[in-house]
Amino acid sequence: MDEMNSEADFNGVGHSGFNDELMSLRVCLVNFQEDTDTRSSVLEDEVEEILLPDGNKELKVETNFFGMLPNEIITKILSYLTLRELCHFVSPICKQWHIYAMNPLLWQRLPFEEIYNVSPENLVTLIQSKCTLLKELNLKCQSELSLYECQIIAQSCPMLETLSLAFCTQVNKEIIKSFVAYCPKLQNLNIEGCKVYDDSLFLLQNIPLKRLNVSHCTHLSDDGLVFIGKHCPHIRDLNFDGVQWIT
């Protein structure tokens, strides 16, 4: 008996105490496993909810590779399309592609072939709403534009650098004055075939003019062209073809 008690004392507990400790250990292990399974299940649910928020547990693969591109790359790709192609084939696809197509960076040029048959009212609306960064505008033969409409266009194009008013029969000093006032970066001006006089050229000293086309402007004289030569220090190209009496 003493040996048994000594053995129990050596092990630190008696048989009944040992069984109690073993049972407690098993309970702890079971609780730990249940808690681990619960945390694992919650974690899996959270991951699925993050990756598949619509509740669809099937694996989804992103296939909109175009939408994954940086905006700069998308803009560069779309820049190879004409404005009409942007409107007809890109904009109608979806809301996001409409945003891509209407990016002002893609509307920095309005060449003649894009707008020659656009009415004055629609042209003004287009420039006001889409062309806030417009740098090049060709209004060749747009003789139906009124002074007021030209003023609105000029006010809407503070970044304009190149402007053609060639063969616009309504162009006069007031219209040129509007573009000079509201387009301080204007460098290239084409007023070929317009009924302008020398006093219209006097306004051009207020812009960094580099190229001027006044060919077939039959109301000009030596005074206007001499003024351009003296007061427009950035001028590099001056075309007065068809003005035969210039000396």
Side-chain angles (χ1 to χ4, degrees):
M1 177 67 67
D2 293 339
E3 290 179 357
M4 293 177 62
N5 290 335
S6 298
E7 184 178 354
D9 292 340
F10 177 80
N11 289 301
V13 291
H15 288 290
S16 60
F18 177 77
N19 290 334
D20 291 342
E21 291 294 331
L22 182 60
M23 182 61 66
S24 298
L25 178 60
R26 287 175 177 173
V27 170
C28 290
L29 289 174
V30 170
N31 291 338
F32 175 79
Q33 182 64 39
E34 290 178 350
D35 185 55
T36 302
D37 292 341
T38 301
R39 289 202 305 270
S40 177
S41 176
V42 171
L43 179 59
E44 290 177 0
D45 291 341
E46 290 176 349
V47 171
E48 288 181 350
E49 185 175 358
I50 292 172
L51 297 181
L52 306 173
D54 59 356
N56 186 354
K57 303 306 180 182
E58 296 180 359
L59 180 62
K60 292 188 175 181
V61 179
E62 177 60 66
T63 57
N64 182 16
F65 298 110
F66 192 85
M68 297 171 63
L69 295 174
N71 288 335
E72 295 81 1
I73 301 299
I74 294 176
T75 300
K76 182 61 177 179
I77 294 173
L78 296 181
S79 69
Y80 292 100
L81 301 179
T82 67
L83 300 183
R84 292 180 182 271
E85 288 171 339
L86 288 174
C87 292
H88 291 168
F89 304 117
V90 178
S91 179
I93 292 178
C94 66
K95 183 177 180 180
Q96 185 59 50
W97 281 55
H98 173 76
I99 295 175
Y100 292 149
M102 296 300 109
N103 186 338
L105 291 174
L106 297 173
W107 293 76
Q108 296 186 78
R109 296 179 63 253
L110 285 183
F112 172 75
E113 60 272 13
E114 298 277 11
I115 60 174
Y116 72 93
N117 59 349
V118 178
S119 68
E121 296 81 7
N122 290 336
L123 181 58
V124 171
T125 301
L126 172 67
I127 292 175
Q128 278 187 304
S129 60
K130 308 299 182 187
C131 304
T132 55
L133 300 178
L134 189 65
K135 293 184 177 182
E136 182 178 331
L137 176 61
N138 193 330
L139 297 176
K140 180 180 178 180
C141 299
Q142 293 279 357
S143 297
E144 296 181 0
L145 285 169
S146 65
L147 171 60
Y148 175 70
E149 290 168 334
C150 288
Q151 289 174 335
I152 294 179
I153 291 175
Q155 293 175 17
S156 304
C157 305
M159 307 296 291
L160 193 65
E161 297 178 356
T162 299
L163 172 65
S164 176
L165 298 170
F167 302 104
C168 291
T169 57
Q170 84 282 26
V171 170
N172 55 24
K173 180 181 178 180
E174 290 304 314
I175 289 179
I176 292 180
K177 181 178 180 180
S178 297
F179 281 103
V180 169
Y182 295 109
C183 306
K185 296 185 178 182
L186 189 59
Q187 301 177 13
N188 310 302
L189 178 61
N190 183 353
I191 50 177
E192 178 183 5
C194 296
K195 297 179 181 179
V196 295
Y197 295 84
D198 291 337
D199 57 352
S200 296
L201 301 186
F202 298 160
L203 301 170
L204 302 182
Q205 64 177 320
N206 298 318
I207 56 176
L209 190 65
K210 292 183 178 180
R211 295 179 176 85
L212 175 63
N213 185 350
V214 291
S215 61
H216 304 287
C217 293
T218 56
H219 297 285
L220 296 179
S221 69
D222 285 346
D223 293 339
L225 297 180
V226 169
F227 181 89
I228 292 295
K230 289 183 177 181
H231 296 89
C232 296
H234 303 289
I235 195 73
R236 296 293 182 270
D237 187 350
L238 178 59
N239 183 353
F240 52 90
D241 181 47
V243 189
Q244 299 177 358
W245 48 91
I246 295 295
T247 59

